[in-house]
Amino acid sequence: MGIWKRPLPPEVFAGTHATTLPGLLGIRLVEMGEDYVRATMPVDERHVQPAGILHGGASVVLAETVGSVCGVMALEEGWTVVGLEVNANHLAAVPKGDSVEAVCRPLQLGRSVQVWQIEIRRGDGRLSCVSRLTTVVREVRGGRAG
């Protein structure tokens, strides 16, 4: 299964996040490859700024969500990740009514730090955002992450 040490089925992700920010924004995991994960998010009234285009913060939530999920899946049980830094370059507007697709791949899978690259594309395939997430790897202690 490539780099994944504990894969997360899309239906488990959906159930776990039904009432958290990713679930409320409609983020869905749709594909897991050997070294990547693909996720989707609609662009509707929950996601747009006053100009009627995708809010940059929604793109960052999508990027950090898929990067964090990848970070955890790439680790053995008993370990987790915590976001250290996230950045995003917004390259093309996404209008309300469209959807976006994020593909996340690792740039660095270290013992203490991971770096993930996330490309977000509009429904027509045009690159709308490039993001990078850096996470710190931590041991889960006392049943709690972080």
Side-chain angles (χ1 to χ4, degrees):
M1 190 88 196
I3 64 172
W4 312 122
K5 295 187 168 77
R6 50 182 169 151
L8 178 66
E11 60 277 5
V12 173
F13 172 85
T16 301
H17 292 286
T19 59
T20 66
L21 188 56
L24 296 173
L25 290 179
I27 296 172
R28 302 282 177 254
L29 298 185
V30 296
E31 183 183 0
M32 185 183 327
E34 293 288 314
D35 69 344
Y36 71 91
V37 166
R38 187 180 317 273
T40 61
M41 183 177 73
V43 179
D44 59 33
E45 61 280 347
R46 298 171 292 175
H47 308 90
V48 296
Q49 52 154 286
I53 60 174
L54 180 62
H55 190 291
S59 294
V60 174
V61 171
L62 175 58
E64 188 158 3
T65 297
V66 70
S68 295
V69 165
C70 287
V72 170
M73 290 193 316
L75 296 170
E76 299 289 344
E77 195 68 42
W79 294 88
T80 193
V81 296
V82 177
L84 179 63
E85 189 267 343
V86 62
N87 70 41
N89 296 105
H90 305 288
L91 307 172
V94 184
K96 180 178 175 182
D98 201 346
S99 63
V100 289
E101 179 180 89
V103 176
C104 179
R105 287 189 164 88
L107 295 176
Q108 171 68 32
L109 292 177
R111 290 185 312 180
S112 59
V113 173
Q114 300 174 342
V115 180
W116 297 91
Q117 177 163 303
I118 304 95
E119 291 187 355
I120 300 174
R121 295 185 181 272
R122 308 183 318 185
D124 66 3
R126 185 170 175 192
L127 188 62
S128 65
C129 179
V130 175
S131 184
R132 190 180 62 245
L133 174 67
T134 303
T135 62
V136 174
V137 176
R138 292 192 168 174
E139 187 173 6
V140 176
R141 297 184 186 170
R144 292 184 52 206

